[in-house]
Amino acid sequence: DVQLVESGGGSVQAGGSLRLSCAASGYSYTTNCMAWFRQAPGKEREGVASNGDGDATVYLDSVKGRFTVSKDNAKKSLYLQMDSLQVDDTAMYYCAVDLSGYGYCSLWADFRYWGQGTQVTVS
């Protein structure tokens, strides 16, 4: 079964940094489309950053210039470097993967597998 496990969340002060990691497993081939999503209490889930073929990235406008998404296709790992964190970044962060193997990778790709989430709290 496909599994994704996030780690690296925690509590930080505004202006601080965190690095999230996602380890995917359960499939034999590498993927070129992975993404981070987040959901705050009382809010809709929103796409934060995706990373596709050739490490092409798509970012939520509010995190541009502050967050950097990267991945290692061979390791099936996804990362999110979060700098200059703001209180509004507080949310549960989820990792997702598109295993379709085709199509444009964006925050609206075919993400059918999700991790359990890691909490990020900024105060």
Side-chain angles (χ1 to χ4, degrees):
D1 294 341
V2 176
Q3 290 189 324
L4 298 96
V5 180
E6 302 94 337
S7 62
S11 298
V12 298
Q13 294 183 338
S17 297
L18 283 174
R19 181 175 172 84
L20 305 184
S21 298
C22 171
S25 62
Y27 53 98
S28 61
Y29 56 93
T30 59
T31 179
N32 290 319
C33 189
M34 302 180 74
W36 290 99
F37 293 78
R38 68 185 183 187
Q39 187 169 26
K43 304 293 183 181
E44 290 291 312
R45 184 178 65 193
E46 62 182 355
V48 177
S50 63
N51 187 299
D53 186 45
D55 289 329
T57 57
V58 175
Y59 290 95
L60 178 68
D61 284 345
S62 63
V63 308
K64 289 180 179 177
R66 299 188 298 116
F67 291 9
T68 303
V69 62
S70 61
K71 69 179 178 344
D72 185 325
N73 290 323
K75 294 181 178 180
K76 300 182 178 65
S77 296
L78 182 72
Y79 308 95
L80 185 66
Q81 178 65 44
M82 304 185 294
D83 298 319
S84 301
L85 282 162
Q86 303 169 357
V87 173
D88 287 347
D89 295 319
T90 296
M92 184 72 74
Y93 283 71
Y94 300 90
C95 174
V97 61
D98 177 356
L99 297 180
S100 67
Y102 61 91
Y104 178 69
C105 185
S106 72
L107 294 171
W108 292 269
D110 188 19
F111 299 109
R112 299 189 181 186
Y113 302 94
W114 300 80
Q116 82 291 339
T118 184
Q119 179 68 40
V120 172
T121 302
V122 185
S123 61

